[in-house]
Amino acid sequence: MKQGTSYLYEYNNGRPVRCAGFIHVTEHYHSCILQLRATQIPAADDDPFDLSAFRLTEDRIAVSRIGTVTCRRSELTARLSVPDRMFPEGCALAELSGFILRRPDDEPAASDPSVFWLAADPLPPADLFLTPAGSAGSKEPDQTEQEFPEEFPPPEPDPPADLGSAEKKSEIQARKIKRSDLTLLPRRFWPLANNSFLLHGYHNYGHLLLLEDDGRLWLGVPGIYDPREARAADLFGFPRFTRDGISALDLSENECSTDGNFGHWCRPVR
């Protein structure tokens, strides 16, 4: 597993239900800093969730508990410093396969629909994931190659068109705003300040986009187009991707990327 951001998917009865948040990993000398956020958690205040790391090998999976995260107002948020020795079998971050959040009292049967857990993708099959560390499991050779179950196919690889029409590009006005500027929008959009996807993009690039196109106002979150990212953006309410307006924003090196697929994930706010 590389340092960076992975999305947390809620699983129920062994199947993904929704994208619930993200976990950001920063590697340091013999340790890692984990920052995680998940929303709309079906739990009461002060309910604990075990955070574990797992390592998937050819014939088994090893799971190691690394901490506890407490639910507050239906959210799980934490910032943890984790030494390498707490990872399964003392492996390094590069050898790690992912993380899981689960209630301590959940039954270990993956077929139990009452079991609630979150996991950073890529994921092994649920029955392997719940196998205790050090025990053997069986798997078909191709089970770890499929990034999404058949019921949740990945999106098409081609990026969507920019907001302006290809035949007739309207005049576009764009400006850079801060998260605190969201109060300038109608009140019904103020909760977007706590949207996990928006927080992730704002944390990475330090700005948001406000774009007016043909009388419509769009709020944009900076990011790099990727099919998997497109699915997460849509789940969090930002279904459109555009590169329009980048040249007008006067972005610094820390506020953008040299990647040719850099742009903004957008949603209408007027």
Side-chain angles (χ1 to χ4, degrees):
M1 184 173 187
K2 297 180 180 180
Q3 66 174 346
T5 301
S6 294
Y7 287 98
L8 288 168
Y9 288 89
E10 176 185 340
Y11 272 64
N12 200 311
N13 198 19
R15 293 183 178 181
V17 177
R18 66 185 178 98
C19 186
F22 62 87
I23 184 166
H24 184 80
V25 184
T26 306
E27 189 173 18
H28 295 275
Y29 181 70
H30 291 315
S31 67
C32 292
I33 300 295
L34 305 181
Q35 295 175 280
L36 66 90
R37 176 183 172 86
T39 61
Q40 300 179 33
I41 305 302
D45 281 0
D46 299 325
D47 278 1
F49 280 72
D50 282 343
L51 174 63
S52 300
F54 73 92
R55 184 189 184 197
L56 183 67
T57 59
E58 288 297 326
D59 58 352
R60 66 191 181 94
I61 184 171
V63 181
S64 178
R65 180 180 173 276
I66 59 178
T68 300
V69 182
T70 303
C71 186
R72 291 280 191 273
R73 298 181 179 179
S74 300
E75 294 187 357
L76 297 172
T77 58
R79 186 179 188 276
L80 304 172
S81 178
V82 182
D84 286 357
R85 65 177 181 273
M86 295 186 69
F87 289 157
E89 302 171 335
C91 70
L93 176 65
E95 302 172 301
L96 202 63
S97 300
F99 298 92
I100 185 173
L101 278 161
R102 201 167 71 106
R103 300 178 192 268
D105 55 350
D106 275 347
E107 294 296 327
S111 60
D112 183 357
S114 68
V115 173
F116 175 88
W117 46 285
L118 296 165
D121 101 76
L123 291 174
D127 54 345
L128 283 180
F129 197 82
L130 300 177
T131 302
S135 62
S138 61
K139 71 179 185 69
E140 296 300 326
D142 62 346
Q143 282 183 315
T144 58
E145 295 177 2
Q146 185 177 347
E147 295 180 352
F148 290 95
E150 291 181 0
E151 293 86 353
F152 290 79
E156 294 298 322
D158 294 332
D162 286 339
L163 298 178
S165 167
E167 293 83 7
K168 183 181 179 181
K169 278 282 185 178
S170 57
E171 183 178 352
I172 293 177
Q173 297 179 351
R175 65 187 179 103
K176 183 172 57 176
I177 64 170
K178 297 180 179 180
R179 178 170 170 253
S180 58
D181 294 329
L182 292 176
T183 55
L184 301 175
L185 299 177
R187 183 181 293 270
R188 67 180 182 275
F189 295 113
W190 290 4
L192 289 173
N194 294 318
N195 182 286
S196 295
F197 186 81
L198 182 145
L199 288 171
H200 166 54
Y202 189 76
H203 173 78
N204 283 344
Y205 297 103
H207 78 278
L208 299 171
L209 168 72
L210 205 57
L211 183 148
E212 187 168 358
D213 174 32
D214 197 23
R216 298 195 72 182
L217 191 65
W218 299 80
L219 175 65
V221 176
I224 297 174
Y225 183 84
D226 175 83
R228 185 180 299 172
E229 191 85 350
R231 184 174 182 273
D234 186 56
L235 288 170
F236 278 102
F238 291 85
R240 302 291 297 274
F241 182 83
T242 182
R243 301 179 184 87
D244 291 340
I246 293 179
S247 59
L249 294 182
D250 190 25
L251 300 176
S252 68
E253 291 183 1
N254 294 329
E255 293 176 322
C256 63
S257 170
T258 57
D259 191 299
N261 287 325
F262 176 78
H264 293 83
W265 303 96
C266 296
R267 63 169 295 155
V269 289
R270 189 179 66 196

